[in-house]
């Protein structure tokens, strides 16, 4: 069961060959602090299966896979 309240990161794109190293980590630290100021200690992060750089970033922060979402046109 998920906690009653949690942070939610809908999208954060990282450039694999960016000149500004560590930008993603700095953004996450600021957002983590912002969540913490609001009493949130867990977050759900949506990362596309087609974004291996983003997946590696979140996994490096000890994020674990929760579920896959699929889109279907009916």
């Amino acid at each position: 069961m998920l906690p009653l309240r949690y942070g939610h990161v809908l999208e954060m794109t990282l450039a694999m060959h960016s000149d500004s190293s560590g930008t993603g980590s700095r953004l996450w630290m600021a957002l983590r602090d912002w969540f913490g100021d609001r009493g949130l200690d867990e977050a759900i992060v949506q990362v596309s299966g087609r974004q291996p750089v983003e997946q590696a970033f979140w996994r490096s922060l000890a994020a674990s896979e929760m579920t896959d979402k699929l889109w279907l046109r009916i």
Side-chain angles (χ1 to χ4, degrees), residues 33-66:
D33 292 345
W34 190 85
F35 285 153
D37 290 346
R38 285 148 184 79
L40 307 175
D41 59 0
E42 294 190 35
I44 292 178
V45 180
Q46 289 187 211
V47 183
S48 171
R50 297 179 179 163
Q51 301 295 334
V53 174
E54 284 81 355
Q55 287 185 0
F57 172 79
W58 291 110
R59 285 189 178 109
S60 76
L61 297 171
S64 58
E65 204 167 305
M66 186 172 80

Side-chain angles (χ1 to χ4, degrees), residues 11 22 24 31 40 51 70:
E11 186 171 345
L31 184 56
L40 307 175
Q51 301 295 334
L70 302 173

Side-chain angles (χ1 to χ4, degrees), residues 14-25:
L14 305 169
M16 183 165 44
H17 302 291
S18 173
D19 290 337
S20 48
S21 176
T23 303
S25 295

